[in-house]
Amino acid sequence: MIEAKVIAHSVAHDDRGNHGPELFTLALKYPRFIHSEFMTHRVFSRNAASSRAIPVSKMIEQVRNEPAMPIYWGSNKPGMQAGDELEGTALENAKFWWLRAATQAAEVAEAMAKDGLHKQVANRVLEPFQIMQTVVTATEWENFFQLRISEFAQPEIKALAVAMKEAMTNSTPFQMPYGEYHVPYVTAEERDEYKSRKDWRTLCMV
């Protein structure tokens, strides 16, 4: 449910050995219920799947087959951090009620769609159980990792940050000459082909 993959990793340099900051683009998968926390990091450039764009049937299928769920079922206590994880019957009940809510949300969205309601409304009742697909690009990551890889962070966004950092650590940057572009989702063959034509505009559009 929580995944991070480096799509492009570049560092600009010139013939004199000067170089710029490392630039990463990652494809992320995570529960929608932590999306608002992810969006608070303003140094990120990002784009995410939209409830207004995805057909209701696809959202219903995802919620029924792979509903977004907490990874830590903490007990209630004052403050922003949960207590010890529930155990036994209490834990089983919490998971049961969560899945029941997901099932009911899917049934309601399906009924709305059958009555002709647009997906920009019907999909909203599914959002607590949706999984986000997000693309993020940035050069500045230290503050994000400091805040989110922390005992004080919500477990789901901590798991996302750990997955992102691991993916970035294991990535090798493309040594990008000055004047070229960081172009995610473009293959090396496509880069060479369009570079020979001096057609960076098309690559940037891709």
Side-chain angles (χ1 to χ4, degrees), residues 81-104:
Q81 287 78 44
D84 294 337
E85 189 165 35
L86 299 177
E87 297 179 348
T89 302
L91 178 58
E92 292 177 6
N93 286 343
K95 293 180 179 180
F96 169 82
W97 289 117
W98 185 277
L99 290 172
R100 181 172 174 181
T103 299
Q104 290 179 334

Short mmCIF file of all heavy atoms in Angstrom, two decimals, residues 81-104:
data_model
loop_
_atom_site.label_atom_id
_atom_site.label_comp_id
_atom_site.label_asym_id
_atom_site.label_seq_id
_atom_site.Cartn_x
_atom_site.Cartn_y
_atom_site.Cartn_z
N GLN A 81 -0.11 11.98 19.16
CA GLN A 81 0.43 10.65 18.97
C GLN A 81 -0.44 9.61 19.68
O GLN A 81 -0.86 9.82 20.82
CB GLN A 81 1.87 10.53 19.49
CG GLN A 81 2.90 11.24 18.63
CD GLN A 81 2.90 12.74 18.85
OE1 GLN A 81 2.84 13.21 19.98
NE2 GLN A 81 2.98 13.50 17.77
N ALA A 82 -0.69 8.50 18.98
CA ALA A 82 -1.48 7.41 19.58
C ALA A 82 -0.65 6.68 20.62
O ALA A 82 0.58 6.77 20.66
CB ALA A 82 -1.92 6.43 18.49
N GLY A 83 -1.35 5.92 21.45
CA GLY A 83 -0.68 5.12 22.47
C GLY A 83 -0.27 3.76 21.91
O GLY A 83 -0.12 3.58 20.70
N ASP A 84 -0.10 2.80 22.79
CA ASP A 84 0.28 1.46 22.37
C ASP A 84 -0.77 0.89 21.42
O ASP A 84 -1.96 1.23 21.49
CB ASP A 84 0.43 0.54 23.58
CG ASP A 84 1.59 0.96 24.49
OD1 ASP A 84 2.51 1.62 23.99
OD2 ASP A 84 1.54 0.62 25.69
N GLU A 85 -0.34 0.01 20.54
CA GLU A 85 -1.27 -0.56 19.57
C GLU A 85 -2.28 -1.47 20.27
O GLU A 85 -1.94 -2.19 21.23
CB GLU A 85 -0.52 -1.36 18.50
CG GLU A 85 -1.42 -1.80 17.37
CD GLU A 85 -0.65 -2.27 16.15
OE1 GLU A 85 0.43 -2.86 16.33
OE2 GLU A 85 -1.11 -2.03 15.02
N LEU A 86 -3.51 -1.41 19.79
CA LEU A 86 -4.54 -2.28 20.33
C LEU A 86 -4.15 -3.74 20.14
O LEU A 86 -3.39 -4.08 19.23
CB LEU A 86 -5.87 -2.01 19.62
CG LEU A 86 -6.47 -0.61 19.76
CD1 LEU A 86 -7.74 -0.51 18.93
CD2 LEU A 86 -6.73 -0.26 21.21
N GLU A 87 -4.71 -4.60 20.98
CA GLU A 87 -4.41 -6.02 20.89
C GLU A 87 -5.70 -6.83 20.96
O GLU A 87 -6.75 -6.33 21.36
CB GLU A 87 -3.49 -6.44 22.04
CG GLU A 87 -2.12 -5.77 22.03
CD GLU A 87 -1.25 -6.21 23.20
OE1 GLU A 87 -1.79 -6.84 24.14
OE2 GLU A 87 -0.04 -5.92 23.19
N GLY A 88 -5.59 -8.08 20.55
CA GLY A 88 -6.69 -9.02 20.73
C GLY A 88 -7.98 -8.59 20.06
O GLY A 88 -8.01 -8.12 18.93
N THR A 89 -9.07 -8.72 20.83
CA THR A 89 -10.40 -8.42 20.30
C THR A 89 -10.54 -6.96 19.89
O THR A 89 -11.18 -6.65 18.88
CB THR A 89 -11.47 -8.77 21.34
OG1 THR A 89 -11.35 -10.16 21.68
CG2 THR A 89 -12.87 -8.51 20.80
N ALA A 90 -9.94 -6.06 20.66
CA ALA A 90 -10.03 -4.63 20.34
C ALA A 90 -9.42 -4.34 18.98
O ALA A 90 -9.97 -3.59 18.17
CB ALA A 90 -9.35 -3.81 21.42
N LEU A 91 -8.27 -4.96 18.67
CA LEU A 91 -7.62 -4.77 17.38
C LEU A 91 -8.45 -5.38 16.26
O LEU A 91 -8.65 -4.76 15.21
CB LEU A 91 -6.23 -5.40 17.40
CG LEU A 91 -5.42 -5.33 16.09
CD1 LEU A 91 -5.23 -3.89 15.64
CD2 LEU A 91 -4.07 -6.03 16.26
N GLU A 92 -8.96 -6.57 16.48
CA GLU A 92 -9.80 -7.22 15.47
C GLU A 92 -11.05 -6.40 15.19
O GLU A 92 -11.47 -6.26 14.04
CB GLU A 92 -10.19 -8.62 15.95
CG GLU A 92 -9.01 -9.60 16.01
CD GLU A 92 -9.42 -10.96 16.56
OE1 GLU A 92 -10.64 -11.17 16.77
OE2 GLU A 92 -8.54 -11.79 16.77
N ASN A 93 -11.65 -5.86 16.24
CA ASN A 93 -12.86 -5.04 16.07
C ASN A 93 -12.56 -3.77 15.28
O ASN A 93 -13.35 -3.35 14.42
CB ASN A 93 -13.46 -4.68 17.42
CG ASN A 93 -14.16 -5.85 18.09
OD1 ASN A 93 -14.47 -6.85 17.43
ND2 ASN A 93 -14.40 -5.74 19.38
N ALA A 94 -11.43 -3.11 15.59
CA ALA A 94 -11.07 -1.88 14.89
C ALA A 94 -10.92 -2.13 13.40
O ALA A 94 -11.43 -1.37 12.57
CB ALA A 94 -9.78 -1.31 15.46
N LYS A 95 -10.24 -3.21 13.04
CA LYS A 95 -10.06 -3.56 11.62
C LYS A 95 -11.41 -3.93 10.98
O LYS A 95 -11.67 -3.56 9.83
CB LYS A 95 -9.07 -4.70 11.48
CG LYS A 95 -7.65 -4.32 11.87
CD LYS A 95 -6.69 -5.49 11.71
CE LYS A 95 -5.27 -5.08 12.07
NZ LYS A 95 -4.31 -6.22 11.92
N PHE A 96 -12.25 -4.64 11.73
CA PHE A 96 -13.56 -5.02 11.21
C PHE A 96 -14.39 -3.78 10.88
O PHE A 96 -14.99 -3.69 9.80
CB PHE A 96 -14.30 -5.89 12.23
CG PHE A 96 -15.75 -6.10 11.90
CD1 PHE A 96 -16.15 -7.06 10.99
CD2 PHE A 96 -16.74 -5.31 12.50
CE1 PHE A 96 -17.48 -7.25 10.68
CE2 PHE A 96 -18.08 -5.50 12.21
CZ PHE A 96 -18.45 -6.48 11.29
N TRP A 97 -14.44 -2.82 11.80
CA TRP A 97 -15.26 -1.63 11.58
C TRP A 97 -14.70 -0.79 10.44
O TRP A 97 -15.45 -0.19 9.66
CB TRP A 97 -15.36 -0.81 12.86
CG TRP A 97 -16.21 -1.45 13.91
CD1 TRP A 97 -15.82 -1.89 15.14
CD2 TRP A 97 -17.61 -1.76 13.82
NE1 TRP A 97 -16.87 -2.44 15.81
CE2 TRP A 97 -17.98 -2.37 15.04
CE3 TRP A 97 -18.57 -1.56 12.83
CZ2 TRP A 97 -19.28 -2.80 15.29
CZ3 TRP A 97 -19.87 -1.99 13.09
CH2 TRP A 97 -20.22 -2.59 14.30
N TRP A 98 -13.38 -0.74 10.33
CA TRP A 98 -12.77 0.02 9.22
C TRP A 98 -13.18 -0.58 7.88
O TRP A 98 -13.60 0.13 6.96
CB TRP A 98 -11.25 0.04 9.36
CG TRP A 98 -10.58 0.90 8.34
CD1 TRP A 98 -10.26 0.55 7.05
CD2 TRP A 98 -10.16 2.26 8.49
NE1 TRP A 98 -9.66 1.59 6.40
CE2 TRP A 98 -9.58 2.66 7.25
CE3 TRP A 98 -10.19 3.17 9.54
CZ2 TRP A 98 -9.06 3.93 7.05
CZ3 TRP A 98 -9.67 4.44 9.34
CH2 TRP A 98 -9.11 4.81 8.12
N LEU A 99 -13.06 -1.91 7.76
CA LEU A 99 -13.41 -2.58 6.51
C LEU A 99 -14.90 -2.49 6.23
O LEU A 99 -15.32 -2.39 5.08
CB LEU A 99 -12.96 -4.04 6.56
CG LEU A 99 -11.44 -4.25 6.50
CD1 LEU A 99 -11.10 -5.71 6.75
CD2 LEU A 99 -10.89 -3.79 5.16
N ARG A 100 -15.71 -2.51 7.29
CA ARG A 100 -17.14 -2.36 7.10
C ARG A 100 -17.46 -0.98 6.56
O ARG A 100 -18.32 -0.83 5.67
CB ARG A 100 -17.89 -2.61 8.42
CG ARG A 100 -19.40 -2.49 8.28
CD ARG A 100 -20.11 -2.93 9.53
NE ARG A 100 -21.55 -2.69 9.42
CZ ARG A 100 -22.42 -2.96 10.39
NH1 ARG A 100 -22.02 -3.52 11.52
NH2 ARG A 100 -23.70 -2.69 10.22
N ALA A 101 -16.79 0.03 7.08
CA ALA A 101 -17.00 1.40 6.59
C ALA A 101 -16.60 1.51 5.12
O ALA A 101 -17.29 2.16 4.32
CB ALA A 101 -16.20 2.39 7.43
N ALA A 102 -15.51 0.84 4.73
CA ALA A 102 -15.08 0.86 3.33
C ALA A 102 -16.11 0.19 2.43
O ALA A 102 -16.45 0.69 1.35
CB ALA A 102 -13.73 0.16 3.19
N THR A 103 -16.65 -0.93 2.90
CA THR A 103 -17.68 -1.65 2.12
C THR A 103 -18.92 -0.79 1.95
O THR A 103 -19.49 -0.71 0.85
CB THR A 103 -18.04 -2.97 2.82
OG1 THR A 103 -16.88 -3.80 2.89
CG2 THR A 103 -19.14 -3.70 2.07
N GLN A 104 -19.35 -0.13 3.02
CA GLN A 104 -20.54 0.71 2.95
C GLN A 104 -20.30 1.91 2.04
O GLN A 104 -21.19 2.31 1.28
CB GLN A 104 -20.94 1.16 4.35
CG GLN A 104 -21.48 0.03 5.21
CD GLN A 104 -21.86 0.49 6.60
OE1 GLN A 104 -21.33 1.46 7.12
NE2 GLN A 104 -22.79 -0.22 7.22
#
